[in-house]
Amino acid sequence: MSELAIDTSDGGRVIDLRREPGAADRLPRGKAGGRYRCCACGGKLIFTGPATPDSGFTPRFRHDGSGPGTDRCGAPAPHQADVQADLTVILDLRDQLVRALPSATVCLQIDPQLAGQHWELPPALIVRSTDDVVIIERPRRPLMRSTVDARLQTVHTRYGESATHWWFFDRDDAVHYLTAGTVKVRPNGKPDTHHKVRPTPVQRQITSAGGAVCWIAKDTVLIPYGGHPGTYPAHEGEDWSGEMASWAKDWKISHPYPADGAAWWGLIPLPLITLGQHAAFRPAPAFRLMTALESAQHGREAHRRRLAREHAQRQKDELRSTPPVPLPVEAPTDDAPATPPAPPTPPALPPTHTTPAATEHPPTPPRPALPPTAPPQAPVPRIPATRTRFSWRSLLPRRWRRPR
C-alpha cells in the first residue's frame, strides 16, 4: 500500500506512484498538512521523495510513526488485499481510457470520508471532455440493490442529470456475465453471430434508472441490446399452421438500452477507442448497428407474413381442386335385422297366340319376399344290370354272319 494514497486536496483523487512517474516532482513532500490518506486504514501518510533527481531512492507513502513497524498500514491483510485489487482493476481501465481519449481528463476519485472503510463498490472514474462528464464504475464483487441505488443517487446529486453513468463489467467474471448462447443476425445483409447474456437483477436495475451497462474484454467493449422472443399474431388471410408454424416464432430488439421485458441481451463488440470519438461517450457505431438490426427485423417479419399468405392461398387452392370423397356406407351390425335380397324377376314367356292390342293383362303379383322351398324329389329307382351272353359270332363282321 506504500504506492497508493488519497489526495484530499485534489477532490479525493487516488494517487498511484507506479503509474505517475512525475508525482515526485509535483507533489509536496512530508505530511503536507495531513493531505495524504491511506486507502486501507484512512490514516495520515507522509510522502517521502528522493532528495535529488539523480538519487536512486524510490518515492513512497508511509504512515506517521517513529516506532518499529509503525510506518506500515495496520489494516488487516485481507482488507488491504481487497482494496489493492479493486484499485488495480479500476486503474488499469483508466490507463486504457487515457490511451483511447488523449484529449480527455481521466482520474480516479473517492470521498475522503470513506477512506479506510470497507467499500462494496470501488471508487469511480471521472472522465471530463469539454462540457461532457462521464462516470465509469468497475464492479469486481457481487452488488446489492441498495449499493447501486446509493451510487446512482450520489452521481445524480453531484454531477447532475447531464452526466452519463457507465458500468463496466468483466467479460470473464462469471458473477456478472451469465452466458445465454448466441443469436444469428444479418444487419445490412451481412451474416454475423452475437453472444447473448442473461442480465442480472442489478444490471436491469441500472438500465431502468438510465445508466449504461457494458462488458469489457481487454480492449473490446460489448454493448448490449434487448431481445424479446415472441410469436407473430395471425392477420387476416394468413395461415401459420403446418410447415409455417416454426416461421411464426421470432424475436424483436429494444435499443439503444435494453427494455425491462427483454428475455436476453445481445452483445455488439466494439473497440474501446471508438467510445471516445463521440460526445458523451456514446458508442455511435453500436447504435447504428442496432438500427440496422431493427430494419432487418421489420423486413424479416414482412417476408414471413408474405409466406403465410401464400401458404393460406395454397391451402385454399388444394381444397378446391380435390374431388369430394364419398361418405363410407356403414355395414349392418349384428343387432340390425338382415334384409333379404329381392328375388330376380323371371323372364317373360313368349305368347302362344296373338292378343289384341286393346286387351291388357293385369300386372303380375310380386312373388313372396322369401324364396319358395323346392319340394323334395323322389329317389330314382335302381335298375338292375342285365348280363349279356358271350358269343364268338358277335365278333365276326355283319356280312359274314349266317342267319340262324
Side-chain angles (χ1 to χ4, degrees):
M1 299 297 296
S2 59
E3 295 89 2
L4 298 170
I6 299 174
D7 190 352
T8 59
S9 299
D10 194 6
R13 189 177 69 88
V14 177
I15 304 171
D16 187 355
L17 297 178
R18 298 167 298 180
R19 304 169 190 267
E20 301 180 39
D25 299 330
R26 65 179 181 81
L27 293 176
R29 297 182 182 87
K31 296 182 181 180
R35 177 176 179 173
Y36 311 116
R37 293 289 185 89
C38 177
C39 298
C41 68
K44 296 181 179 180
L45 300 176
I46 300 173
F47 178 55
T48 304
T52 62
D54 298 333
S55 64
F57 182 81
T58 302
R60 68 184 184 91
F61 292 102
R62 63 181 182 86
H63 288 72
D64 188 7
S66 56
T70 57
D71 60 341
R72 298 180 180 180
C73 181
H79 178 62
Q80 293 187 45
D82 285 342
V83 171
Q84 188 161 5
D86 288 341
L87 295 179
T88 299
V89 170
I90 192 69
L91 288 173
D92 287 343
L93 178 59
R94 186 196 66 175
D95 294 343
Q96 293 178 276
L97 294 175
V98 168
R99 294 190 297 268
L101 310 171
S103 61
T105 302
V106 186
C107 62
L108 180 62
Q109 289 182 320
I110 185 175
D111 185 358
Q113 301 297 327
L114 300 178
Q117 298 183 14
H118 177 77
W119 57 53
E120 296 182 0
L121 185 63
L125 287 174
I126 312 299
V127 182
R128 289 185 171 88
S129 178
T130 60
D131 296 333
D132 299 324
V133 179
V134 180
I135 314 301
I136 299 179
E137 309 285 354
R138 187 68 169 84
R140 197 179 66 88
R141 288 185 293 274
L143 296 176
M144 302 294 293
R145 297 181 66 91
S146 57
T147 303
V148 174
D149 284 335
R151 182 59 62 90
L152 291 171
Q153 184 62 36
T154 300
V155 170
H156 182 270
T157 302
R158 182 174 300 180
Y159 302 99
E161 296 182 356
S162 60
T164 306
H165 200 175
W166 278 82
W167 298 69
F168 279 63
F169 294 96
D170 192 351
R171 166 63 175 78
D172 299 325
D173 188 353
V175 174
H176 299 294
Y177 185 90
L178 306 178
T179 181
T182 59
V183 58
K184 293 183 178 180
V185 296
R186 198 178 182 88
N188 301 318
K190 299 179 181 179
D192 197 1
T193 301
H194 290 167
H195 289 277
K196 299 189 303 183
V197 296
R198 297 192 306 272
T200 64
V202 168
Q203 291 164 352
R204 291 184 184 272
Q205 175 188 0
I206 294 171
T207 56
S208 299
V213 174
C214 70
W215 285 262
I216 185 169
K218 296 183 179 180
D219 294 331
T220 302
V221 291
L222 305 171
I223 310 298
Y225 58 85
H228 306 258
T231 303
Y232 292 127
H235 293 172
E236 184 178 358
E238 297 177 351
D239 185 359
W240 295 93
S241 63
E243 60 184 10
M244 290 299 302
S246 61
W247 289 76
K249 299 178 181 180
D250 202 359
W251 63 276
K252 295 185 178 181
I253 183 176
S254 61
H255 68 96
Y257 301 115
D260 292 340
W264 47 264
W265 289 1
L267 302 178
I268 296 179
L270 198 66
L272 179 63
I273 193 173
T274 59
L275 293 180
Q277 297 175 355
H278 302 272
F281 216 66
R282 290 177 58 85
F287 292 166
R288 287 195 295 267
L289 187 58
M290 294 176 189
T291 303
L293 288 176
E294 187 175 17
S295 299
Q297 165 195 307
H298 294 322
R300 187 170 62 249
E301 179 179 358
H303 172 68
R304 294 188 178 189
R305 290 194 178 279
R306 183 171 60 254
L307 293 179
R309 291 192 297 270
E310 293 176 356
H311 180 62
Q313 185 62 37
R314 187 165 55 252
Q315 295 290 93
K316 292 180 181 178
D317 295 342
E318 293 178 356
L319 186 61
R320 284 195 295 264
S321 61
T322 304
V325 180
L327 296 176
V329 179
E330 295 184 359
T333 60
D334 295 339
D335 298 334
T339 303
T345 304
L349 298 176
T352 57
H353 60 277
T354 304
T355 306
T359 306
E360 294 183 0
H361 294 278
T364 304
R367 296 189 176 185
L370 296 177
T373 305
Q377 298 180 358
V380 179
R382 297 183 62 183
I383 301 175
T386 57
R387 185 174 181 182
T388 306
R389 185 178 179 181
F390 176 77
S391 174
W392 289 103
R393 183 175 179 272
S394 62
L395 297 176
L396 295 176
R398 184 177 296 272
R399 65 177 175 271
W400 291 351
R401 297 178 188 176
R402 291 182 180 179
R404 294 181 178 178

